[in-house]
Amino acid sequence: PNPVLASGNLNITNPFNEKLRLTMFDGKGSVVLKTQLATSGKISLAEFGLAPGIYYLNLAGETQIVNYKIVVE
């Protein structure tokens, strides 16, 4: 995955065209971000004070789940 800056943004495209639950976990499995999106959106990582490292992003719709791995610098 391409690194993203801790002060950057995540642009979320809603692949399901349905409400999404977005959950981000750190490398230890702790939840660091949890929110819902009605449509596609932008999330500012600066709000969460993420330390550099690997994070796992889970997007769950009503019928599908997609997981991503992101690297924060």
Side-chain angles (χ1 to χ4, degrees):
N2 292 329
V4 62
L5 296 176
S7 60
N9 294 313
L10 286 179
N11 294 311
I12 306 296
T13 302
N14 188 337
F16 311 127
N17 199 26
E18 57 191 32
K19 289 184 181 179
L20 291 178
R21 287 186 322 274
L22 182 151
T23 309
M24 185 184 296
F25 303 90
D26 64 13
K28 296 177 184 177
S30 300
V31 174
V32 295
L33 167 65
K34 192 171 195 173
T35 190
Q36 290 197 0
L37 299 172
T39 61
S40 301
K42 184 186 294 187
I43 295 173
S44 172
L45 295 178
E47 296 177 33
F48 303 100
L50 298 176
I54 297 173
Y55 292 85
Y56 301 92
L57 186 64
N58 174 276
L59 293 174
E62 295 173 13
T63 59
Q64 298 183 32
I65 297 173
V66 177
N67 295 297
Y68 297 96
K69 180 172 147 180
I70 63 170
V71 177
V72 174
E73 289 187 333

